[in-house]
Amino acid sequence: APRPWRQRGPYGRGGPTVTARPAMATIKLKLPSLLGGKAAEAEMEGEYNDVPQAFQEPARLRHSHAQRLMAAGLMESLSEEAGDGCRDFRRDMPPKAHSSTRPLWVCPDGRIVLEAASPVYAQALDLLVAISEPVSRTRHMQEYQLTQYSLYAGASMGLRTSDILSGLERFSKCNLPHEIHTMVAECTERYGKVKLILRSDRYYVECPEDGVAFDALLHDPQIAQMRVIREAAEEVPEPLRAATGAATGGAAGGDARAAAGGAEGASLDAVASLMGAAAFEEDEALFTRLEHRSFEVEPSKIKLVKERCNEIDWPLLEEYDFRNDSESAELPIQLRPETRVREYQQAALGRMFGSHRARSGIIVLPCGAGKTLVGITATATIGRSCLVLCNSAVSVEQWYQQFLLWTTLPKDRIVRFTAATKEKLHPEACVVVSTYNMISFAGRRSKEALEVMSDVETREWGLLLMDEVHVVPANTFLTCTVKTKSRCKLGLTATLVREDDKIGDLNFLIGPKLYEANWLDLQAKGYIATVSCAEVWCPMTAEFFSEYLRQPVATGRLLYAMNPNKFRACEYLMRFHEARGDKVIVFSDNVFALKTYAVKLRRPYIYGPTPQHERMLWLNKFKSTSEYNTLFISKVGDTSIDLPEANVIIQIASHFGARRQEAQRLGRILRPKARVGDSFNAFFYTLISRDTQEMFYSTKRQQFLVDQGYAFKVITNLVPDGQTELLYSTQRDQLDLLREVLTAASSAEVAAEDAAETEEVRTAIGAGVGMAGGSVVSRKRTSISALSGGDTLSYAEVSRAAATKAQQQQQRHGVFKQIDKARKQQRGA
């Protein structure tokens, strides 16, 4: 059933958000010649001769005059009635000849619409993946957006301004707007002029071929504060020293150079003063004659340097010429002969190594599509030391095993660094797998951890590989990119979304997005499972709904999670899929609901306080035996548990409107599975209590998956009548459950379990990130009278000194509070 969906505004940050239905998307865009069915005919009969040539429009594709008038009149009426911020581009975008067989609409605001039924869909898609950001990729129509960073990514792959404009012109149904020409030229002509180089434990900003860029950076007052000023002999890097030596008498022999040592030193001093003095214009002519233009920056301020360079439109390019690196020790690693890299993985790696150098950036692949193998292949290609950062100890173990499985790397060359395992680094090149928390931890460490961490900080890493890279913008993890020195950075993720506005920080923390796969294309080729997504509406019982309307918000969330009809739907689905031989995972963010469902249904469960050995026990039984085909997991299993055997997910309680959590949970069942014909081989159910706040959150959570082309069908009557064998089928049992829920809502033990669960997740993925990717927010329902003291509360005047003292006393450890109490008792005695 079609559902309203919200689409990210294509006009950049702060732009309007367009509300539409998928079926009306083409009308909302005001595109005059998108008449239904014609694109499909073009796929069958359109003639196309190579990319540069024009299309030959078949005769039966020429629309009649009446059809055009009807379509124009419909759009005109919608344009007059629409008040949602849509723009009418008909007068700005007159169609070309044979426009019906061209696949792209390129709008002046940078929005690009792609018709998936076009005969040259694959060629146009390759261009858009390289230069634009995907906004919505449904089955028949796809939307992309040209952005500053997407054009940077295209330029970093070697695409010139003329290449991008000519490619868009060939595929576009209309002439390219002047705004597109200007935007592409401004974003691509400057990229690659400024480079960030790591050499001998020092970071240098270099402008080898552009004096204008170098002048702009030197004149910038903020960058001047981040530069490192050294003595003349230390300030000039080796390439610059060689160039300066050549300028001062390179043709002379060794004795002549020794005799002219004073002159050479004076020249070095001149260059040093040029790079460090405020008034460097006097020696500018000398410096422009040098082959290299560079200056050193503080390693701790690399993030600020990148951010500032982006602000002044001189973005930093991070590339690693690993083929010509003779200083770093080589890593003895190769892929095993039986390892097979899929075509989309090769395409992603091609974007990273397209210029025969390792380019920093981000690769986005769906869960289960082989992101780990992409990272391992990148490590083997570079052949230098690699630091792998994960978000949990379970992920560390999985990466460790995958390196041993897919490569010939000796076991002593791969090291784990976690709270439980602290292995010493190999004296030469090696692979270290650790967590973000272990690297960014700022507290006291053990002696073993200090030794390992010291080695990690002092080494120059050829590749910094970051799994689940969307967590990096959190303040806790920013130190990971500062404490470690790496020549190239690669980020991997399946969901490059956050509920805050920090996802854009990755563009200067790591690099632009190099590649993003289309989920539906991989599904059609069998690389990921074919998933049926369903939203099951469960009506609240009269007693539960009555209490839901009266109780506070927190209690209301517990009531709609424990809805008896939802419980019966969960049991029905679980028994149905277990009878088919499926492996079922039941997710619940609410700990009380998780434990109650699992205990009543006699199934194992895993949540935050579950010990590590017990987790591995249940996971192994779930994977390798048929004794337990259903496993209940809390939000700790969203990203850190790999269960390729699972093919059914049932959600009974989720984290508000978190889009990323929805996609991550779907990813638990995306591993490729055996398929019979064209039928679905994986199932994703979300159980929703009707007429509650949960319905709003569900629609918001599905936004990311809808943009990837997935459709959610709504099931209103799942459980057939007469299913008396299911739990809570009688009103007496439902009332007993209601009393149990209301008692638990006011229980301190249940609140403590929820707090421990939240802390477990925040510890695993970083403080301040939260399951939704944003900051943790506390929501409470109250009234004006309560805020004014109507509920037996009153205000009291307290001095600032007394309040500060009370706050400090509250923060003191319990042991010290007992010592203070004992001292007071001794004084009183």
Side-chain angles (χ1 to χ4, degrees), residues 328-611:
S328 303
E330 294 189 5
L331 183 69
I333 180 174
Q334 289 185 351
L335 295 178
R336 295 185 182 275
E338 61 270 18
T339 303
R340 295 291 180 267
V341 181
R342 298 169 180 170
E343 57 182 19
Y344 63 90
Q345 295 170 329
Q346 295 177 6
L349 292 167
R351 299 292 170 84
M352 181 179 179
F353 298 100
S355 59
H356 302 289
R357 297 184 179 185
R359 187 180 299 113
S360 295
I362 302 170
I363 293 176
V364 184
L365 294 176
C367 299
K371 295 188 297 295
T372 305
L373 183 57
V374 170
I376 292 174
T377 306
T379 305
T381 304
I382 293 176
R384 300 299 188 276
S385 293
C386 175
L387 175 61
V388 183
L389 297 181
C390 315
N391 62 350
S392 68
V394 177
S395 297
V396 169
E397 190 63 30
Q398 291 173 358
W399 273 91
Y400 176 81
Q401 296 297 335
Q402 291 294 307
F403 265 102
L404 297 177
L405 175 64
W406 298 113
T407 69
T408 59
L409 185 66
K411 202 169 185 179
D412 61 335
R413 292 293 187 111
I414 179 168
V415 178
R416 289 164 293 184
F417 181 41
T418 62
T421 306
K422 301 177 182 64
E423 302 171 350
K424 290 186 177 182
L425 276 63
H426 195 278
E428 298 179 3
C430 64
V431 174
V432 177
V433 188
S434 184
T435 63
Y436 291 103
N437 278 332
M438 288 298 295
I439 303 299
S440 62
F441 182 67
R444 298 182 61 183
R445 297 178 184 266
S446 64
K447 182 180 179 180
E448 294 177 339
L450 281 174
E451 293 177 355
V452 176
M453 191 62 204
S454 176
D455 201 353
V456 169
E457 292 178 351
T458 55
R459 289 203 181 194
E460 286 188 10
W461 300 97
L463 176 64
L464 176 59
L465 187 57
M466 289 170 281
D467 192 21
E468 305 295 345
V469 73
H470 49 261
V471 305
V472 172
N475 294 330
T476 307
F477 297 147
L478 287 178
T479 55
C480 293
T481 57
V482 175
K483 284 188 175 183
T484 59
K485 298 178 181 179
S486 59
R487 300 177 183 271
C488 178
K489 300 179 181 67
L490 176 61
L492 300 173
T493 185
T495 53
L496 199 61
V497 294
R498 289 171 63 99
E499 302 307 320
D500 55 19
D501 57 351
K502 293 184 178 181
I503 198 67
D505 294 353
L506 292 175
N507 290 294
F508 59 82
L509 287 174
I510 299 173
K513 180 166 57 177
L514 302 176
Y515 183 82
E516 181 172 0
N518 189 315
W519 292 40
L520 291 186
D521 286 350
L522 298 186
Q523 176 180 289
K525 296 177 181 179
Y527 291 127
I528 59 177
T530 305
V531 184
S532 172
C533 301
E535 186 177 282
V536 181
W537 289 3
C538 307
M540 294 274 282
T541 62
E543 298 80 8
F544 269 74
F545 191 68
S546 177
E547 290 294 334
Y548 169 77
L549 296 176
R550 288 199 297 262
Q551 296 294 334
V553 174
T555 306
R557 289 197 295 267
L558 187 59
L559 285 169
Y560 62 61
M562 295 301 300
N563 177 11
N565 288 326
K566 180 185 287 190
F567 199 108
R568 299 175 71 242
C570 176
E571 183 181 4
Y572 177 81
L573 288 173
M574 184 192 71
R575 298 189 185 282
F576 172 78
H577 283 285
E578 284 184 340
R580 296 177 70 241
D582 297 329
K583 293 284 187 176
V584 184
I585 300 178
V586 182
F587 277 108
S588 173
D589 272 30
N590 189 286
V591 177
F592 176 79
L594 176 80
K595 297 173 69 173
T596 304
Y597 274 68
V599 171
K600 294 288 186 181
L601 298 175
R602 299 180 180 179
R603 298 297 188 275
Y605 61 90
I606 296 174
Y607 71 121
T610 305

Side-chain angles (χ1 to χ4, degrees), residues 36-58:
K38 301 303 180 182
E41 295 176 3
E43 181 180 6
M44 299 300 296
E45 299 192 11
E47 299 178 5
Y48 183 72
N49 300 323
D50 206 0
V51 176
Q53 303 298 326
F55 293 96
Q56 302 298 323
E57 184 181 20

Side-chain angles (χ1 to χ4, degrees), residues 227-239:
R227 288 160 50 193
V228 177
I229 308 301
R230 300 182 184 272
E231 297 295 332
E234 298 177 346
E235 171 71 13
V236 185
E238 191 62 34

Side-chain angles (χ1 to χ4, degrees), residues 137-138 495 519-520 533 651 659-667 670 684 700-712:
R137 295 182 291 189
T138 56
T495 53
W519 292 40
L520 291 186
C533 301
Q651 285 192 111
R659 298 169 295 163
R660 178 163 59 86
Q661 187 188 53
E662 190 88 351
Q664 292 284 2
R665 289 183 173 177
L666 177 69
L670 282 184
F684 184 77
K700 187 177 180 182
R701 291 169 58 85
Q702 295 169 6
Q703 177 184 342
F704 178 79
L705 294 179
V706 169
D707 288 342
Q708 302 304 320
Y710 286 92
F712 284 77

Side-chain angles (χ1 to χ4, degrees), residues 111-124:
R111 190 192 317 184
I112 301 177
V113 178
L114 170 63
E115 297 177 356
S118 170
V120 288
Y121 163 76
Q123 293 89 333

